[in-house]
């Protein structure tokens, strides 16, 4: 297996750093999938066991000036690496205003992702700062557990409000309860609700809009659970999911860039699926319902 890549464009380098910071906030450890045309950051905790899942995808040509890789074989031209997200984020933080960034798969007594940052010094000469990030190479037999998640046909898909506003609301709600209900309908209404023995608090968002059905199907890999369509359903009927508020807050706190599109897909009483598009980066985040 071989992998080496280089970024020299400052805007691309800053964008890649922001993505790394976002991943570090969303997942302590993650899988980095390297293929000839894409990079994926993956978290696949079992939804059935109450864990969240994440699938972040970026086209390598939008970030890297040079990109070379050879996978485990010609038939399986991919590389799967497990790493601590914070290690990559910390290494990239040294790359602010760098002349160039190089990433390479190396073996220094143990497998590493070596990040080399070329910095300008006061004398206009350059100096190199190198970070060796320990990784674990994931064998081919385990790849099947690290594929893009699929979700059933959502009961409701709705555009999200401004994420900063949503985060501010959820932060306040977290002081009252550890659980939260997200409910939405096909009339552009989304509610965040907490209930305790002493108090019931609901925040209402209206006129958010619902995407056409073909947009929903294009955005997520669908397993059709039924033949029903949005037109068959009562637009005012609320689909809901009861989730751990800390997992939602972790997702909202991890957002480093305002998305160009932000969708919430609710599978009634089973899961909520967030689908964000940051121009050339897509992020899918899955939170299961509380049992």
């Amino acid at each position: 297996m071989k992998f080496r890549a280089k970024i020299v464009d400052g805007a691309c380098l800053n964008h890649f750093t922001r993505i790394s910071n976002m991943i570090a906030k969303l997942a302590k450890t993650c899988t980095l999938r390297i293929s000839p045309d894409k990079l994926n950051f993956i978290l696949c905790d079992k939804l059935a066991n109450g864990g969240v899942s994440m699938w972040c995808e970026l086209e390598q040509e939008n970030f890297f000036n040079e990109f070379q890789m050879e996978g485990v074989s010609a038939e399986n031209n991919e590389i799967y690496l497990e790493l601590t997200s914070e290690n990559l984020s910390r290494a990239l933080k040294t790359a602010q205003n760098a002349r160039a960034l190089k990433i390479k798969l190396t073996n220094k007594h143990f497998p590493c992702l070596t990040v080399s940052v070329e910095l300008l010094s006061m004398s206009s000469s350059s100096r190199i700062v190198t970070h060796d990030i320990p990784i674990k190479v994931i064998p081919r037999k385990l790849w099947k557990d690290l594929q893009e998640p699929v979700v059933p046909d959502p009961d409701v898909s709705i555009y999200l409000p401004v994420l900063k506003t949503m985060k501010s609301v959820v932060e306040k709600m977290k002081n009252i309860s550890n659980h939260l209900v997200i409910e939405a309908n096909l009339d552009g209404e989304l509610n965040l609700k907490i209930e305790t023995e002493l108090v019931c608090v609901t925040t209402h968002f209206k006129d958010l809009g619902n995407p056409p059905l073909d947009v929903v199907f294009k955005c997520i890999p669908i397993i059709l659970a039924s033949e029903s369509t949005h037109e068959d359903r009562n637009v005012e009927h609320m689909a809901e999911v009861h989730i751990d508020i800390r997992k939602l807050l972790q997702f909202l706190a991890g957002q480093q860039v305002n998305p160009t599109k932000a969708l919430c897909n609710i599978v009634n009483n089973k899961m909520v699926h967030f689908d964000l598009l940051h121009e050339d980066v897509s992020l899918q985040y899955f939170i299961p319902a509380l049992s």
Side-chain angles (χ1 to χ4, degrees):
M1 292 185 300
K2 296 179 181 178
F3 170 63
R4 65 168 65 225
K6 183 177 182 179
I7 302 177
V8 296
D9 182 85
C12 292
L13 180 50
N14 290 335
H15 194 16
F16 189 67
T17 300
R18 285 194 297 270
I19 294 167
S20 173
N21 292 340
M22 176 184 71
I23 299 301
K25 289 179 180 291
L26 294 177
K28 184 177 180 181
T29 61
C30 71
T31 298
L32 173 60
R33 172 182 176 264
I34 304 167
S35 63
D37 55 350
K38 292 177 182 176
L39 287 183
N40 294 100
F41 294 96
I42 306 166
L43 174 65
C44 275
D45 287 350
K46 295 296 183 183
L47 287 173
N49 297 331
V52 300
S53 291
M54 172 188 73
W55 181 272
C56 180
E57 182 169 291
L58 51 148
E59 301 281 343
Q60 62 87 0
E61 65 181 6
N62 293 329
F63 291 84
F64 297 95
N65 301 84
E66 299 174 17
F67 191 93
Q68 299 174 336
M69 63 85 61
E70 292 179 16
V72 295
S73 66
E75 299 80 26
N76 299 294
N77 192 21
E78 297 175 336
I79 302 171
Y80 286 75
L81 310 172
E82 183 180 294
L83 55 86
T84 300
S85 307
E86 181 62 30
N87 288 344
L88 178 60
S89 174
R90 194 180 297 121
L92 291 177
K93 283 177 182 175
T94 64
Q96 289 185 341
N97 302 316
R99 176 182 285 177
L101 171 78
K102 296 179 182 178
I103 305 175
K104 185 179 180 182
L105 190 59
T106 59
N107 193 349
K108 300 185 177 181
H109 305 298
F110 51 87
C112 287
L113 199 63
T114 297
V115 177
S116 298
V117 181
E118 184 179 348
L119 299 170
L120 285 173
S121 66
M122 296 297 289
S123 60
S124 295
S125 61
S126 62
R127 57 191 177 92
I128 305 295
V129 178
T130 301
H131 305 265
D132 292 322
I133 301 171
I135 57 167
K136 185 164 71 174
V137 179
I138 299 175
R140 174 74 181 87
K141 62 183 179 181
L142 300 180
W143 290 7
K144 65 181 185 298
D145 298 324
L146 296 166
Q147 301 309 303
E148 186 169 4
V150 292
V151 295
D153 182 8
D155 293 284
V156 167
S157 294
I158 189 167
Y159 292 112
L160 286 170
V162 175
L163 295 184
K164 281 186 177 180
T165 303
M166 193 172 170
K167 174 174 172 278
S168 177
V169 169
V170 174
E171 280 177 334
K172 293 179 175 65
M173 287 182 161
K174 182 178 175 290
N175 295 327
I176 304 172
S177 174
N178 289 329
H179 305 148
L180 174 138
V181 174
I182 300 180
E183 59 180 17
N185 63 21
L186 296 172
D187 198 27
E189 297 175 339
L190 182 143
N191 300 328
L192 302 177
K193 183 166 63 176
I194 55 173
E195 294 180 356
T196 70
E197 293 180 358
L198 300 176
V199 67
C200 176
V201 179
T202 305
T203 299
H204 302 271
F205 297 94
K206 295 188 175 184
D207 302 320
L208 295 175
N210 303 89
L213 206 58
D214 59 338
V215 172
V216 178
F217 283 10
K218 223 176 278 182
C219 291
I220 56 178
I222 293 292
I223 299 175
L224 286 177
S226 68
E227 295 298 320
S228 62
T229 65
H230 283 190
E231 287 76 11
D232 299 331
R233 303 171 188 168
N234 179 356
V235 296
E236 294 183 355
H237 175 72
M238 288 284 181
E240 67 173 44
V241 62
H242 190 190
I243 61 170
D244 186 329
I245 198 169
R246 293 166 297 184
K247 292 174 181 175
L248 175 60
L249 191 56
Q250 183 179 23
F251 164 72
L252 294 170
Q255 301 314 307
Q256 304 285 306
V257 186
N258 286 326
T260 50
K261 176 182 70 66
L263 265 183
C264 171
N265 301 298
I266 297 176
V267 182
N268 199 45
N269 295 319
K270 290 185 178 178
M271 67 180 298
V272 60
H273 164 230
F274 297 102
D275 185 15
L276 274 56
L277 182 66
H278 303 267
E279 296 180 357
D280 43 16
V281 180
S282 66
L283 172 68
Q284 297 185 68
Y285 198 79
F286 303 78
I287 304 177
L290 291 170
S291 56

